[in-house]
Amino acid sequence: MKHDPSTPPSGWPGMEMVGMTKLTDDIYYGWLGEQTNPTFWHWCTALEDVPADRKVHEGCWVAAGTSAHTLVSREPLHLEPSLLWRCCGTHGFVRNGEWVSV
């Protein structure tokens, strides 16, 4: 199955997510099972030149769990502290249901 930025991995085996929500063109979040906090997905352009056999999944989606974060509000989503993807340096907050880049 081909994955791209317009199709986040909401149905990948073991990662079946509900309530997938687009924050930006390359950042989505959703809810995994009974977890209190959401899981985030980021399309990482830093991985575009990595051969497919060296990636965990086809494409460039990178997950970020937030179990150590504080869920201030579920609707609209507000999470503290910020999220950082070390793969490419994407960094920002989710406040009032929107991504705020740092």
Side-chain angles (χ1 to χ4, degrees), residues 32-46:
L32 182 62
E34 299 298 319
Q35 290 185 0
T36 303
N37 285 9
T39 297
F40 284 79
W41 291 95
H42 163 62
W43 182 265
C44 183
T45 57

Side-chain angles (χ1 to χ4, degrees), residues 9 12 15 17 20 23 26-32 35 37-44 57 60-69 77 79 81-87 90-92 94 99:
W12 292 6
M15 294 299 293
M17 314 268 314
M20 287 296 283
L23 287 177
D26 62 354
I27 300 173
Y28 288 73
Y29 70 90
W31 307 90
L32 182 62
Q35 290 185 0
N37 285 9
T39 297
F40 284 79
W41 291 95
H42 163 62
W43 182 265
C44 183
H57 299 288
C60 299
W61 287 108
V62 179
T66 59
S67 61
H69 289 68
L77 186 63
L79 195 69
S82 62
L83 293 167
L84 170 65
W85 279 273
R86 296 184 196 282
C87 50
T90 296
H91 185 203
V94 180
W99 178 259

